[in-house]
Amino acid sequence: MATRIAFAFILLINSILSWLMLTPWALKKLEHLTLDYMSITCQGKQCYGWVAVQRVNFALGLFHFILAMLLLGVKSSRDGRAALQNGFWGPKIIIWLGFVVMTFFVPETFFQVWGSYFALAGAMLFVLLGLILLVDLAHTWAEYCLEKIENYDSKGWRFLLIGSTLSMYTASFAMTIVMYIFFAAGGCAMNQAAITVNLIILLIISAISVHPTVQEFNPQAGLAQSAMVAIYCTYLTMSAVSMEPDDKHCNPLIRARGTRTVSIVIGAIVTMLTIAYTTTRAATQGIALGAKGTHAYSKLSDEEVEHGLVDQQPGNSRREMRAEALRAAVEAGSLPSNALDDDDDSDDGHDAKDDERSGTQYNYTLFHVIFLLATMWVATLLTQNIDTQAEGVAAVGRTYWASWVKIVSAWVCYLIYAWSLIAPVVMPERFEH
């Protein structure tokens, strides 16, 4: 857990640093630090940090790409390369910062191509993975509650499932009403269409989830999953209309200029925190490449574990003999079965808190690939349609491009969830258990 938090914190710091690169003050400081060797421009014009943002995120992305390659095939903490994931934090931070410095000496043409094509493609893939994670979470949550209710006939879990479903639907409809009142005035066709389409799809997927045919092939499908998808997609839609520019007088929040700077700063930090959390969650779930749970990745066999005890560590014959004696004592009934666990924890050279000796909890390489995609998303979010005339702190995601990404993401999320309901009906042989 500490490793994942540390990488998430590095992503958060990198994202905030990237955001600061959008300010003229940061650009002037950067040019001054390079003794005016580097002039931050885009095609001969001041670009207000576009290239600087791409440089900073490319550095962290390169850092994660290298770690992904170095950790390819690591199955447990017995592999010496596992220390690269869970240790050496001082050298890793120095290398990351070194990459950041080095990128500022790379010609800006490279980053214009990288940011316009490669980072954009990676950003879209990251958004798609986030939506798949949300749908997976909705199904997992509902199935977990149903399992508790069926196994224990628990009134508490039943109340929690029904209460959370009603609360999420209530919140979804409440947000829809607020959007119609404040963001769907006359002349705001984009907002009116986005809000209405979201409401219609919300009702459709709710009806599909309780359709008799869907229930026949997937009895655990229902309104609980639909409620979670509905509130998330409605939130995306509300975030889209509340963050769009106000050139058509459709966003009253921007006109409330008394706390503009504070709202921008809070909005930027919340956005970066959300990205860091989503990235870490997606990276450890392993759903993108079909993993079957957090502990399902590369569990070692008993033979491999025993082989590691004898052959991979010199001088372990005495410990192996002790382990054999303990196993014999447990089989004879003279010792409790947890004596073997205690013996494993007391092995020399291993931390008693090491819970990955027989298999990693998540795919290390996939973890870093998803963090690489997250750096592309941060760079794309910050640099699409920058307002070069804005002064002071830059608003994060306050562009039509960002608004449309959120609106379309909501529609795609509905589509993924609808397919998860319909797939067992159209392909029953693939879902037989």
Side-chain angles (χ1 to χ4, degrees):
M1 179 62 73
T3 296
R4 286 166 268 181
I5 292 175
F7 279 117
F9 183 72
I10 290 175
L11 177 63
L12 175 63
I13 296 299
N14 192 83
S15 302
I16 294 175
L17 178 62
S18 302
W19 173 53
L20 293 177
M21 290 295 115
L22 295 175
T23 62
W25 174 85
L27 295 185
K28 292 176 182 177
K29 286 294 182 183
L30 273 176
E31 292 175 352
H32 179 68
L33 287 174
T34 59
L35 303 178
D36 296 324
Y37 165 80
M38 179 182 62
S39 178
I40 302 177
T41 60
C42 296
Q43 298 178 345
K45 299 180 180 179
Q46 187 74 21
C47 61
Y48 290 85
W50 193 98
V51 176
V53 170
Q54 295 293 344
R55 292 178 194 274
V56 171
N57 284 282
F58 177 82
L60 184 58
L62 178 62
F63 172 75
H64 281 291
F65 175 78
I66 293 174
L67 283 176
M69 293 300 100
L70 292 175
L71 294 168
L72 192 64
V74 173
K75 296 182 178 181
S76 76
S77 60
R78 295 177 182 275
D79 191 317
R81 292 176 295 160
L84 295 175
Q85 173 76 1
N86 302 311
F88 299 108
W89 286 103
K92 284 194 291 193
I93 291 175
I94 292 173
I95 291 172
W96 162 48
L97 296 177
F99 284 164
V100 173
V101 174
M102 288 169 55
T103 58
F104 282 94
F105 295 93
V106 177
E108 67 182 37
T109 307
F110 169 82
F111 293 103
Q112 289 170 3
V113 175
W114 172 265
S116 299
Y117 301 100
F118 295 97
L120 180 61
M124 296 302 99
L125 182 56
F126 176 77
V127 171
L128 180 61
L129 291 179
L131 298 179
I132 295 173
L133 173 66
L134 186 279
V135 174
D136 179 73
L137 175 63
H139 283 292
T140 302
W141 159 251
E143 291 170 3
Y144 181 77
C145 290
L146 289 173
E147 182 183 350
K148 292 293 185 181
I149 293 172
E150 292 174 359
N151 292 342
Y152 303 104
D153 192 23
S154 171
K155 293 182 179 179
W157 281 103
R158 184 177 286 107
F159 175 80
L160 180 62
L161 182 62
I162 297 174
S164 63
T165 301
L166 291 175
S167 299
M168 285 187 282
Y169 268 117
T170 301
S172 299
F173 289 120
M175 284 191 287
T176 301
I177 294 172
V178 169
M179 286 189 285
Y180 272 122
I181 294 175
F182 293 101
F183 301 99
C188 302
M190 169 186 158
N191 290 358
Q192 293 170 354
I195 299 167
T196 303
V197 169
N198 179 78
L199 178 60
I200 292 173
I201 300 178
L202 184 158
L203 296 174
I204 291 174
I205 63 109
S206 298
I208 292 175
S209 69
V210 295
H211 192 277
T213 304
V214 172
Q215 289 290 312
E216 178 184 351
F217 286 87
N218 185 6
Q220 292 187 319
L223 294 177
Q225 298 96 320
S226 300
M228 183 173 292
V229 172
I231 192 173
Y232 178 74
C233 293
T234 304
Y235 160 77
L236 281 179
T237 304
M238 187 171 187
S239 176
V241 299
S242 65
M243 289 297 290
E244 68 178 15
D246 193 38
D247 55 333
K248 298 179 182 179
H249 300 286
C250 297
N251 191 348
L253 294 181
I254 294 182
R255 274 168 266 150
R257 305 192 63 87
T259 58
R260 181 177 183 275
T261 300
V262 175
S263 65
I264 289 176
V265 172
I266 293 176
I269 294 175
V270 169
T271 299
M272 302 311 174
L273 283 170
T274 303
I275 292 173
Y277 171 77
T278 303
T279 303
T280 307
R281 181 111 174 115
T284 53
Q285 286 288 348
I287 58 169
L289 296 181
K292 297 180 180 178
T294 50
H295 294 276
Y297 175 68
S298 300
K299 186 74 171 179
L300 295 183
S301 65
D302 292 338
E303 290 80 4
E304 290 176 299
V305 172
E306 291 176 4
H307 178 75
L309 279 171
V310 178
D311 296 326
Q312 292 182 354
Q313 298 182 36
N316 277 348
S317 58
R318 182 175 299 177
R319 280 201 301 274
E320 178 62 15
M321 293 173 61
R322 181 185 176 200
E324 289 292 342
L326 282 172
R327 275 194 287 270
V330 169
E331 291 173 1
S334 57
L335 285 176
S337 60
N338 62 2
L340 291 174
D341 297 332
D342 295 338
D343 180 61
D344 283 342
D345 289 341
S346 64
D347 282 351
D348 294 339
H350 291 287
D351 191 339
K353 296 181 179 179
D354 183 1
D355 56 357
E356 295 186 321
R357 293 184 58 198
S358 61
T360 58
Q361 293 186 335
Y362 55 94
N363 187 318
Y364 288 168
T365 294
L366 178 59
F367 179 90
H368 291 288
V369 168
I370 293 179
F371 267 80
L372 166 62
L373 297 178
T375 64
M376 296 179 178
W377 168 243
V378 171
T380 303
L381 178 65
L382 292 175
T383 57
Q384 285 294 320
N385 300 324
I386 299 179
D387 183 5
T388 58
Q389 305 301 320
E391 305 212 358
V393 292
V396 175
R398 190 164 289 177
T399 64
Y400 281 115
W401 180 89
S403 293
W404 273 111
V405 166
K406 293 178 180 179
I407 292 170
V408 174
S409 294
W411 298 346
V412 173
C413 187
Y414 280 130
L415 183 62
I416 294 172
Y417 174 64
W419 173 247
S420 73
L421 296 175
I422 298 173
V425 178
V426 299
M427 296 187 301
E429 67 283 354
R430 295 284 301 273
F431 293 88
E432 290 180 355
H433 296 289

